[in-house]
Amino acid sequence: MIETIQSLWAAVPEPVQIPVLIVVKILVIVLPLMGAVAYLTFAERKIIGYIQVRIGPNRVGPRGWLQPIADAVKLLTKEIVLPANASRFLFLIAPVLAIGPALAAWAVVPFDEGLLLADIDAALLYVLALTSLAVYGIIIAGWASNSKYALLGAMRSAAQMVAYEIAMGFALVGVLMVGDSLNLREIVLRQAGSPLHWFVWPLLPLFVVYFVSGVAETNRAPFDVAEGESEIVAGFHVEYSGIAFGVFFLAEYANMILISTLASLMFLGGWLSPFEGWAPESWFAVPVLGTLLASGIHWLLAKTAFFLFCFLWFRATFPRYRYDQIMRLGWKVFLPLTIVWLFVEGLAQYFRIGPWFA
């Protein structure tokens, strides 16, 4: 069977093989990502339910496991209502502009050594450029809705995203300095050796700034003033319904997964095992245990899952900030902190402080 498939594939002209392979790789990344987004919503409702001593969704399927599928079917079958006097084209293109960068950024994310779609040298710059485009979808959604509530929510959200985008960018400059590369795979490989070589230790303040800025960037609690129900109804997507609203929902959760994955890659060694460098070699020789303890994609997924749990934990724990507090944190705390720590990091590189700057 395999030989037949290989012979058929060899008969396909090479100019056709390349785009087919690229499309297959894209599907291999995007389809599991969409599944992860769907079940992240289920995990959120369950985890927050347990934190608040509730059960959470438990009606659709065994113990509620089919709830995300029911939600998707509901959104797909609901009517998309276009507001009167709204700009039809911009109203419909805004959700695409929101989710497009969240999906396109995965093209350069390495899941394991050699396991990625595009190994480009400027991967970090590519991710920064794409993630900064998401703000356009939000602004256009608010403006095209022909609603003062939606426009107010869009302006608040855009100002918040821009404020924290700058702090996040400076945090990534710190990663660039210590990693000596813009390539995400090279940045992970620079952390090889042991958990003490991970960049989270020399860049701890930048790591905190990056992750908290990621929470604010995705408009998640406690930074979700753009969707403050008691103040501006629902934010920039107040006029959206059906799958158009669902796409904004997908974009938010896809961005959560992206930021968690990038935090794992740049600060916690990505797919590198925490047992590397100190565990005895005999542990890795054990048939099943050795595979689990060795570096691999399962460690990247575990670290990403931990950060995603933190997103949900924050939502269940902290009250919503006032808008002026959010702006002050971004501009007056995070921005000066990152600039000062970049200066400290520059000194550490100048004096070759090991193991990160040796």
Side-chain angles (χ1 to χ4, degrees):
M1 181 66 179
I2 297 174
E3 293 177 357
T4 306
I5 295 172
Q6 288 177 340
S7 61
L8 289 172
W9 178 250
V12 177
E14 189 175 345
V16 178
Q17 284 184 358
I18 295 172
V20 169
L21 276 174
I22 292 173
V23 170
V24 169
K25 289 179 180 178
I26 291 171
L27 290 175
V28 168
I29 294 173
V30 170
L31 294 181
L33 178 63
M34 291 295 98
V37 165
Y39 276 89
L40 181 58
T41 64
F42 177 72
E44 177 174 31
R45 295 167 69 179
K46 276 290 191 182
I47 290 169
I48 293 178
Y50 289 137
I51 290 174
Q52 298 172 347
V53 199
R54 296 184 290 106
I55 296 174
N58 67 339
R59 295 293 179 186
V60 186
R63 301 182 68 85
W65 279 94
L66 298 181
Q67 184 66 51
I69 297 172
D71 292 340
V73 171
K74 182 189 75 171
L75 288 171
L76 285 167
T77 53
K78 287 182 73 173
E79 180 185 3
I80 299 177
V81 179
L82 286 169
N85 301 320
S87 173
R88 181 185 177 88
F89 174 74
L90 293 178
F91 185 83
L92 294 176
I93 203 71
V96 179
L97 289 176
I99 197 171
L103 298 180
W106 286 91
V108 297
V109 172
F111 300 96
D112 201 344
E113 176 67 32
L115 192 62
L116 73 167
L117 179 60
D119 189 15
I120 61 174
D121 291 334
L124 196 58
L125 192 62
Y126 172 85
V127 169
L128 269 175
L130 274 180
T131 51
S132 64
L133 289 177
V135 69
Y136 290 106
I138 289 172
I139 293 174
I140 290 171
W143 184 85
S145 297
N146 192 34
S147 165
K148 290 184 175 64
Y149 289 115
L151 185 60
L152 178 60
M155 291 297 102
R156 288 169 65 153
S157 185
Q160 176 180 321
M161 290 178 74
V162 169
Y164 285 90
E165 186 85 40
I166 296 171
M168 187 183 285
F170 272 116
L172 296 187
V173 169
V175 175
L176 166 64
M177 288 172 64
V178 68
D180 202 26
S181 174
L182 281 168
N183 185 298
L184 288 173
R185 185 179 59 83
E186 293 291 336
I187 288 172
V188 172
L189 294 178
R190 285 274 297 185
Q191 300 174 68
S194 75
L196 290 177
H197 290 76
W198 292 355
F199 292 163
V200 66
W201 308 118
L203 306 181
L204 187 59
L206 298 186
F207 166 67
V208 173
V209 167
Y210 175 81
F211 189 63
V212 176
S213 297
V215 176
E217 182 84 7
T218 50
N219 290 322
R220 295 286 301 179
F223 301 98
D224 58 340
V225 292
E227 299 151 9
E229 295 87 354
S230 59
E231 303 153 8
I232 50 175
V233 187
F236 60 90
H237 51 60
V238 64
E239 298 291 348
Y240 282 85
S241 61
I243 195 61
F245 166 77
V247 170
F248 279 119
F249 208 60
L250 284 173
E252 178 180 317
Y253 283 83
N255 275 316
M256 285 170 57
I257 298 174
L258 178 65
I259 284 169
S260 300
T261 306
L262 290 174
S264 305
L265 290 168
M266 293 184 292
F267 295 100
L268 291 185
W271 62 82
L272 299 177
S273 169
F275 295 93
E276 180 185 11
W278 64 269
E281 289 295 325
S282 58
W283 291 12
F284 297 97
V286 179
V288 178
L289 182 65
T291 305
L292 292 175
L293 296 182
S295 299
I297 188 173
H298 56 286
W299 285 114
L300 176 61
L301 296 178
K303 294 167 187 175
T304 302
F306 169 74
F307 285 122
L308 288 173
F309 175 76
C310 290
F311 270 96
L312 311 185
W313 192 6
F314 294 164
R315 179 174 180 180
T317 305
F318 297 113
R320 181 181 293 140
Y321 287 125
R322 290 200 319 265
Y323 191 69
D324 63 297
Q325 292 174 323
I326 290 177
M327 289 292 103
R328 183 166 63 248
L329 180 67
W331 289 108
K332 294 186 177 180
V333 178
F334 280 0
L335 196 57
L337 176 62
T338 53
I339 293 172
V340 168
W341 200 257
L342 287 178
F343 179 73
V344 171
E345 189 182 345
L347 289 177
Q349 279 210 313
Y350 181 77
F351 290 108
R352 295 292 178 186
I353 297 175
W356 312 284
F357 306 104

